[in-house]
Amino acid sequence: MTDLKKRSLLQAAALSAIAATALVACGKKEEPAPAAAPTAAAPASAPAAPKPEPLKIAFAYIGPVGDGGWTFAHDNGRKAVEKEFGDKVVTSFVENVPESADAERVIRDMASQGNKLIFGTTFGYMESMIKVAGDHKDVKFEHATGYKTADNLRTYDSRTYEGAYMAGVIAGKMTKTNTLGVVGSVPIPEVVRNINSFTLGAQSVNPKIKTKVVWVGKWFDPPNETAAATSLINGGADVLMQNTDSSAVLQTAEKMGKRAFGWDSDMTSYGPKAHLGSAVINWGPYYVKATRDALEGTWKGNEQSWWGVKEGAIDMVSIAEDVPEETKKKIEEVKAGLKDGSFVIWKGPLKDNAGKEVLAKDAVADDKFLGGINFYVQGVEGKVPGGDKK
Amino acid sequence: MESYALLLAATLNAGTVLALAALGLLINEKAGIVNLGAEGMMLCAALAAFAAVVHSGSDTLGFLAGVGAAALLAAIFGVLVIWLNTNQYATGLALSLFGAGFSAFAGIGYVQEKLPERLHFTIPFLGDIPLLGPALFRQHPMVYLAIGLVAWLVWFLYRSRAGLVLRSVGESPESAHALGYPVRLIRLAAVVAGGALCGLAGAYLILVYTPLWVEGMVAGRGWIALALTTFATWRPARVLLGAYLFGGVTMLQFHLQGAGVDVATQFLTMLPYLATIVVLALISRNPTWIRVNMPASLGKPFHPGS
């Protein structure tokens, strides 16, 4: 064997070793969490009782289950389904599915492996799900935060702005500078709506509120989220909220002696001194309902759900001890009002921050209005990036 | 006025991460090796540093663990590309992907962990100067180390014999080999040193800048560091300038948003990249400069005796 041949052999061996290690690492990551394992293994060992086949359910996640935010909350929803239905269902998930052609491959794979109910948990899977749903008419598809539906595809979302409003009520009470700060991710209506709702909540207890916004331009960039939070605090904000996926803003507030909120999941542990409360999304109730629909044959496509406090999908949890009792009581009132429909957040008269009336007196915003918000309400400083098309 | 001092402080802080990594990559490239694995090495280093501090409570151990983890990865990369002659670009990319995946996998247990209370540094007397004191003299020692490193690197590369050998290995490995220098070992040493500095950057990022572990928390800074070495035409002082410039303009755009300046945020987000490229391109206008400074055998494999 010549020297060169030997070398290329070695080279190939080395490269494949790296590849193998990488694959092992990835493969391990995609295994269900240990908590899910017993249920997943159950059908194999189940005796041949006259039990119906369990419903196979699959979840596609954009991030890792351990992100402590968005995907973590979805996986708690999946666990709620297992808890509710026991051995009537078998659930599985794939983490870190990028919003690219890979999403279609993963979802198609889920459908062809016999999953009858498939949840896609990020906006970017929309086109992939439409395509796969067209090819698998016998499978039911559920897409989070999208707007396209089909006969076997429906969408679901959460009214995160209700959590933002409750955070605002607390922030308005706790601020000493009357200046709040929000670290924004990507300037889409959902995020702008949350910034506005946060401000409206704060103004409901403190009319002097000003809100400053700094956009990071990404859902996830902890170092820049830190920098954005720092610049807000330097600019006089003493209570921060974020619409980004990590806990960096809360941790920055902790470090700089200011206050902040958790978002999507309970983030108390990331900044125990700074934490004022967490606006959480609880996907469990919807996932349980969707599964029940599928099990009982009442599942219908072409539907869109948008759940909030009323359905138990949004909550404000772990409110800090030093928040005054009256504020905590006010939060309970808001929750009760949202539940029975006696209270609405988006009600006129309401002006944008240029002074233009956007909702007339006593007018209540419908979902279409809420879905297209691209202005700041009075009290928020600056302009929505790209929102001003006058 | 005070807010400018704060901006300056944030700039030094943000620039240091990039400077440390980019200087490491500069040493690599001066020896003729391109390591695209910076992002992966920084992620693994950040995780190692974080884990070490969580378990031991010692910052020193944290920095050592970060440096060690990245140096180890760099050594593996070095053996692959220097002795087995795998393609530098492909191997570097593989290292980046591996580092990102591996750190995410190994870091699952650290997602909710917190670091113990951080130390606050201040240089006595100087730190008490109004405005500038807090900005310039209350930084983490690593900030000053990065500046010192540039001075040392300039001396090392252009004034010392060892630096001359290192550069000759990057310019013409055949000649260096003919003169009897152990080209491969020198290249490996440069790769490991470069990796160690990337590790220092990763450790600094997680221990000082953003003290939390989440998957992918380096968020592209390894790639920016790689680009900086090229834009800076492989000159250490310019690498430092580019790092501060990039860090500074990034901070400036948040600062402007916080101050309510009415500019499209998309434009502001683009600004750091644009400003860095423009400034470094302007000072490198002379094309011979680039040719003179770019290591002639950069990215090319070297087989002694073939």
Side-chain angles (χ1 to χ4, degrees), chain B residues 37-289:
Chain B
E39 182 86 2
M41 293 194 293
M42 283 173 77
L43 277 166
C44 287
L47 177 65
F50 190 73
V53 175
V54 164
H55 292 301
S56 74
S58 153
D59 263 34
T60 316
L61 275 183
F63 275 105
L64 285 177
V67 168
L72 179 70
L73 284 174
I76 297 172
F77 167 85
V79 170
L80 285 174
V81 302
I82 299 167
W83 272 273
L84 304 175
N85 285 313
T86 60
N87 181 295
Q88 290 181 18
Y89 298 95
T91 314
L93 276 175
L95 180 59
S96 240
L97 295 172
F98 170 78
F102 181 77
S103 62
F105 167 62
I108 287 173
Y110 291 97
V111 168
Q112 304 248 5
E113 288 283 352
K114 272 189 355 144
L115 289 178
E117 277 293 311
R118 315 274 67 219
L119 283 176
H120 288 280
F121 292 94
T122 178
I123 298 179
F125 185 64
L126 287 178
D128 298 330
I129 301 172
L131 295 177
L132 279 184
L136 294 179
F137 304 113
R138 286 193 192 165
Q139 300 278 359
H140 193 276
M142 212 53 77
V143 171
Y144 313 111
L145 186 86
I147 297 169
L149 187 67
V150 172
W152 178 81
L153 206 55
V154 170
W155 172 84
F156 172 79
L157 284 175
Y158 300 103
R159 292 280 177 276
S160 79
R161 191 176 164 75
L164 180 69
V165 174
L166 180 79
R167 282 189 294 141
S168 69
V169 158
E171 294 294 339
S172 172
E174 289 79 12
S175 327
H177 178 66
L179 288 171
Y181 288 111
V183 171
R184 290 168 155 184
L185 283 178
I186 291 169
R187 283 190 159 183
L188 181 68
V191 165
V192 171
L197 281 178
C198 285
L200 202 57
Y204 179 83
L205 183 67
I206 201 162
L207 296 184
V208 182
Y209 197 75
T210 314
L212 90 151
W213 169 256
V214 266
E215 186 176 332
M217 59 94 57
V218 175
R221 279 162 188 76
W223 299 107
I224 292 167
L226 259 166
L228 278 178
T229 57
T230 307
F231 289 136
T233 57
W234 295 272
R235 307 282 288 188
R238 284 185 193 171
V239 167
L240 187 75
L241 171 74
Y244 284 149
L245 194 65
F246 190 90
V249 180
T250 307
M251 290 307 123
L252 180 67
Q253 57 118 342
F254 292 131
H255 186 80
L256 290 177
Q257 285 192 55
V261 174
D262 190 14
V263 195
T265 44
Q266 289 87 346
F267 176 77
L268 290 176
T269 315
M270 178 186 73
L271 212 54
Y273 301 87
L274 194 68
T276 313
I277 293 171
V278 168
V279 171
L280 290 177
L282 280 180
I283 55 174
S284 319
R285 253 174 317 177
N286 188 348
T288 49
W289 263 113

Side-chain angles (χ1 to χ4, degrees), chain A residues 39-41 43-44 52-59 78 81-82 85-93 107 109-119 138-142 290-291 294-295 299:
Chain A
T39 338
E53 255 321 82
L55 177 70
K56 282 183 81 178
I57 308 171
F59 293 78
R78 181 186 66 81
V81 168
E82 293 203 323
F85 297 103
D87 57 4
K88 282 191 231 149
V89 295
V90 178
T91 72
S92 61
F93 64 84
I107 294 163
D109 208 38
M110 288 173 164
S112 56
Q113 281 176 5
N115 288 293
K116 292 299 172 204
L117 183 59
I118 294 175
F119 294 92
D138 59 326
V139 179
K140 300 171 176 67
F141 292 89
E142 299 259 2
T291 307
L295 283 169
W299 196 97

Side-chain angles (χ1 to χ4, degrees), chain A residues 4 7-8 10-12 14-15 18 21-22 24-26 28-29 63-64 66-68 72 95-96 187 212-218 220-228 230-232 234-235 246-248 251 254-255 266-267 269-273 381-383 385-386, chain B residues 3 6-7 10 76 80 83-87 90-91 94-95 98 100-102 104-105 108 111-115 117-118 120 184 205 208-221 250-251 253-255 257-260 262 264-266 269 273 303-304 306:
Chain A
L4 207 67
R7 181 178 293 132
S8 51
L10 269 173
Q11 180 179 329
L15 271 183
I18 283 201
T21 334
V24 167
C26 297
K28 278 203 186 131
K29 275 171 47 135
D67 69 351
F72 183 71
E95 300 177 294
N96 291 318
K212 289 175 185 263
V213 184
V214 169
W215 295 96
V216 179
K218 282 191 198 168
F220 184 77
D221 184 338
N224 276 351
E225 290 168 40
T226 304
T230 309
S231 78
L232 282 167
N234 291 342
S246 90
S247 57
Q251 288 197 315
E254 176 98 355
K255 196 165 84 181
D266 188 343
M267 294 183 175
S269 66
Y270 291 105
K273 280 189 291 196
E381 294 183 348
K383 265 192 214 163
Chain B
S3 71
L6 289 165
L7 181 64
I76 297 172
L80 285 174
W83 272 273
L84 304 175
N85 285 313
T86 60
N87 181 295
T91 314
L95 180 59
F98 170 78
F102 181 77
F105 167 62
I108 287 173
V111 168
Q112 304 248 5
E113 288 283 352
K114 272 189 355 144
L115 289 178
E117 277 293 311
R118 315 274 67 219
H120 288 280
R184 290 168 155 184
L205 183 67
V208 182
Y209 197 75
T210 314
L212 90 151
W213 169 256
V214 266
E215 186 176 332
M217 59 94 57
V218 175
R221 279 162 188 76
T250 307
M251 290 307 123
Q253 57 118 342
F254 292 131
H255 186 80
Q257 285 192 55
D262 190 14
T265 44
Q266 289 87 346
T269 315
Y273 301 87
H303 305 196
S306 62

Side-chain angles (χ1 to χ4, degrees), chain A residues 20-180:
Chain A
T21 334
L23 277 177
V24 167
C26 297
K28 278 203 186 131
K29 275 171 47 135
E30 287 177 11
E31 269 171 27
T39 338
S45 59
K51 241 190 253 169
E53 255 321 82
L55 177 70
K56 282 183 81 178
I57 308 171
F59 293 78
Y61 298 145
I62 172 84
V65 168
D67 69 351
W70 179 258
T71 295
F72 183 71
H74 279 282
D75 201 53
N76 285 339
R78 181 186 66 81
K79 288 179 184 152
V81 168
E82 293 203 323
K83 202 167 157 235
E84 179 77 19
F85 297 103
D87 57 4
K88 282 191 231 149
V89 295
V90 178
T91 72
S92 61
F93 64 84
V94 181
E95 300 177 294
N96 291 318
V97 180
E99 293 177 321
S100 66
D102 284 344
E104 188 184 328
R105 186 185 59 75
V106 170
I107 294 163
R108 196 176 289 284
D109 208 38
M110 288 173 164
S112 56
Q113 281 176 5
N115 288 293
K116 292 299 172 204
L117 183 59
I118 294 175
F119 294 92
T121 60
T122 182
F123 181 80
Y125 298 165
M126 188 159 68
E127 297 305 329
S128 308
M129 293 193 79
I130 286 275
K131 265 199 203 160
V132 182
D135 296 342
H136 292 266
K137 299 283 188 200
D138 59 326
V139 179
K140 300 171 176 67
F141 292 89
E142 299 259 2
H143 180 220
T145 72
Y147 56 83
K148 288 189 182 173
T149 60
D151 289 342
N152 58 337
L153 170 68
R154 64 185 189 184
T155 65
Y156 62 101
D157 200 351
S158 290
R159 296 182 187 269
T160 48
Y161 66 92
E162 296 180 347
Y165 182 89
M166 290 189 277
V169 172
I170 298 172
K173 198 73 207 172
M174 299 301 285
T175 176
K176 295 189 185 79
T177 59
N178 294 330
T179 306
L180 310 182

